[in-house]
Amino acid sequence: MAVDLLLGLQWGDEGKGKIVDVLTKNYNIIARFQGGPNAGHTLEFDGIKHVLRTIPSGIFHKESINVIGNGVVIDPVVFVSELEGLNKFDIDYKKKLIISRKAHLILPTHRLLDAASEASKGKAKIGSTLKGIGPTYMDKTGRNGLRVGDLELEDFKERYRALADKHEEMISFYKVDIQYDLEELEAEFFAAVKALKELTFIDSEEFLNKSLKENKTILAEGAQGSLLDIDFGTYPFVTSSNTTAAGACTGLGVAPNKIGEVFGIFKAYTTRVGSGPFPTELFDEVGEKMAKIGNEFGAVTGRPRRCGWLDLIALKYAVQVNGVTQLMMMKSDVLSGFETLKVCTAYKYKGETIDHLPYNIEEENVTPIYTELKGWNADLTKMTSADQLPKELTDYIEFLEKELEVPIKIVSVGPDRTQTIHR
Ligand code: IMP
């Protein structure tokens, strides 16, 4: 048995939550391997819309076990509010949800440090979701972090105090005006820790490898997107974890030879939230139309997402770095009604035409070169099979498949579970 992976190939917000939810019926276990509450995985079914932050998107299926792996960072406060949100769904999360002892904890002071760091950067800010992600991963790699397993130690409070005191000194180093009441934040944190401790903590690498031996099926759920990867993304405008396929091995403790299918998800166009380069970004009414029809606002922060045409150079790069075996195209319905569609198939870079992602893709270095395709004007949202899709959309799909050399197996035509076409 192998672990299948599901990854976002752009700058996040591709619709991973929906597809995990659609695929969960094929898997016994869904496991998150990186990121934290900076993610907002949106699921829609039976007329209900639900946003998950840290909890894997398989939680709504009766049979699935959901694992939060060692590579994830957990904010107990956000996590417990997520659990409370599940109460109305009658989900036995004490049975269905298990957490790696090796996952790192986001402290209230990590969030404050995130805010101080961003404020100190002025115009060069990353556009972080301010959930404490960067400072928590810094403490992890700096070997100072606190882990879920530490909650079981008798001296957890002392360890917490030592780290939080250090953080307070670091906050003052930034010399920015951050207002906070730490006592209040800590009371909230420790109340959440108490609730978190009612869940089951495991050694997730043991659990997952044992499950594989027992022929259980596992789907690893990525968060954010490949272009936000700490190594391969548009650094420094990235998140602080490996969002690409290799991150599933380190974030769950499964070996590379245990990876099976790699499902790559992308939107039929491109969006980005936060700062950083975006070669195909549109600043005109076309981009506005995409944002409006696609309801492009961040699930976590509510910030408007920047929109642009599909960037095949960036997508090819992501397909390569991840070893994608099957593609899934999301939000195809949003592109209905455009007379002509553009797809970036090359860049003009330092006077030359190139077909790969260079080190530096800032606007001043890179100009996209587009191939134009004919648009379609049909309402896709009620379509249920590939043979109902307009010819121009099928041409668009086949063009992408030829360029990317990977089949597009799912075409999403709306946010609901049922609006999913298999090819
Ligand atoms: P952080 O991970 O919150 O520090 O944010 C770093 C960058 O990643 C910012 O540009 C965020 O907007 C972006 N980002 C983080 N998480 C997500 C996500 O789930 N979807 C889209 N963008 C994200």
Side-chain angles (χ1 to χ4, degrees):
M1 272 296 165
V3 179
D4 292 341
L5 305 187
L6 183 129
L7 307 162
L9 300 182
Q10 295 160 316
W11 279 288
D13 308 315
E14 296 89 355
K16 294 173 288 291
K18 165 177 166 166
I19 295 298
V20 176
D21 178 56
V22 166
L23 295 180
T24 299
K25 60 179 187 317
N26 306 331
Y27 294 93
N28 303 116
I29 298 167
I30 310 297
R32 263 284 294 272
F33 61 87
Q34 47 69 231
N38 48 348
H41 291 178
T42 308
L43 289 77
E44 278 190 53
F45 53 90
D46 303 337
I48 299 167
K49 183 171 168 172
H50 197 80
V51 180
L52 293 167
R53 312 280 297 278
T54 330
I55 296 175
S57 304
I59 197 75
F60 295 104
H61 287 256
K62 278 258 170 314
E63 307 301 325
S64 70
I65 295 293
N66 292 261
V67 176
I68 299 181
N70 56 282
V72 176
V73 290
I74 300 178
D75 183 335
V77 177
V78 180
F79 185 75
V80 168
S81 73
E82 260 187 280
L83 290 181
E84 284 162 4
L86 292 180
N87 280 340
K88 59 177 176 289
F89 295 100
D90 186 28
I91 290 167
D92 189 358
Y93 52 75
K94 286 194 183 156
K95 269 208 187 123
K96 288 179 59 69
L97 188 56
I98 47 185
I99 304 174
S100 167
R101 291 195 175 89
K102 295 190 178 77
H104 277 247
L105 292 168
I106 302 177
L107 274 43
T109 41
H110 281 130
R111 289 200 305 266
L112 299 172
L113 273 171
D114 216 356
S117 166
E118 280 286 77
S120 74
K121 285 191 160 128
K123 273 196 181 150
K125 71 175 186 187
I126 307 295
S128 165
T129 60
L130 301 179
K131 303 297 171 203
I133 306 297
T136 306
Y137 279 114
M138 278 165 72
D139 270 340
K140 174 178 175 172
T141 50
R143 295 159 295 178
N144 298 310
L146 289 174
R147 301 187 290 177
V148 166
D150 296 336
L151 296 172
E152 294 167 328
L153 303 176
E154 274 183 18
D155 66 348
F156 176 75
K157 279 213 166 144
E158 286 83 67
R159 288 171 187 243
Y160 169 89
R161 189 74 274 136
L163 189 55
D165 285 351
K166 186 176 148 198
H167 288 162
E168 277 218 280
E169 281 190 41
M170 289 165 72
I171 292 165
S172 65
F173 161 83
Y174 281 108
K175 299 193 177 45
V176 289
D177 186 23
I178 300 284
Q179 301 291 327
Y180 60 90
D181 178 345
L182 192 54
E183 243 174 69
E184 198 179 300
L185 293 173
E186 289 184 339
E188 188 186 41
F189 177 79
F190 282 102
V193 159
K194 194 161 170 251
L196 178 65
K197 282 172 81 173
E198 288 183 19
L199 272 92
T200 308
F201 302 157
I202 53 157
D203 298 317
S204 57
E205 63 281 25
E206 292 294 333
F207 174 80
L208 293 170
N209 283 296
K210 188 163 160 273
S211 301
L212 283 176
K213 281 200 181 132
E214 290 166 358
N215 285 333
K216 300 261 168 51
T217 48
I218 303 176
L219 179 67
E221 175 181 11
Q224 290 84 47
S226 301
L227 300 173
L228 289 171
D229 182 278
I230 184 73
D231 283 283
F232 299 108
T234 45
Y235 193 89
F237 301 100
V238 293
T239 189
S240 298
S241 62
N242 281 116
T243 57
T244 45
C249 295
T250 55
L252 294 175
V254 292
N257 64 353
K258 295 278 172 11
I259 302 299
E261 295 291 332
V262 181
F263 304 121
I265 307 222
F266 68 100
K267 272 182 195 164
Y269 50 101
T270 311
T271 63
R272 173 163 206 171
V273 62
S275 333
F278 179 177
T280 60
E281 183 168 10
L282 291 164
F283 300 96
D284 56 8
E285 65 282 3
V286 178
E288 277 165 29
K289 188 172 163 190
M290 280 176 189
K292 193 158 172 247
I293 305 173
N295 192 24
E296 296 294 356
F297 295 93
V300 174
T301 57
R303 290 179 291 178
R305 296 181 186 138
R306 301 153 64 190
C307 293
W309 295 115
L310 190 65
D311 184 342
L312 266 186
I313 302 300
L315 206 49
K316 272 184 193 167
Y317 176 79
V319 165
Q320 173 175 279
V321 169
N322 290 306
V324 172
T325 60
Q326 294 186 32
L327 287 162
M328 293 159 179
M329 186 166 89
M330 311 302 289
K331 291 195 137 176
S332 316
D333 51 303
V334 175
L335 288 192
S336 292
F338 289 88
E339 205 169 310
T340 308
L341 301 174
K342 290 186 183 180
V343 176
C344 169
T345 42
Y347 290 149
K348 195 82 169 166
Y349 178 69
K350 295 187 177 167
E352 276 180 50
T353 302
I354 59 165
D355 64 356
H356 64 274
L357 207 67
Y359 179 71
N360 205 331
I361 62 162
E362 273 76 36
E363 209 181 320
E364 59 274 21
N365 297 310
V366 154
T367 313
I369 299 175
Y370 291 107
T371 298
E372 293 197 357
L373 289 107
K374 210 160 173 271
W376 57 88
N377 201 3
D379 176 11
L380 310 180
T381 58
K382 306 235 162 29
M383 295 186 181
T384 51
S385 69
D387 54 14
Q388 294 171 328
L389 297 177
K391 181 183 174 304
E392 294 81 1
L393 172 54
T394 305
D395 289 348
Y396 189 79
I397 292 169
E398 288 174 358
F399 175 77
L400 301 183
E401 286 181 319
K402 193 157 158 271
E403 291 281 323
L404 297 166
E405 299 177 75
V406 181
I408 297 177
K409 291 291 211 182
I410 284 183
V411 179
S412 177
V413 292
D416 195 88
R417 233 182 224 175
T418 56
Q419 293 170 305
T420 310
I421 294 178
H422 296 261
R423 296 177 76 239

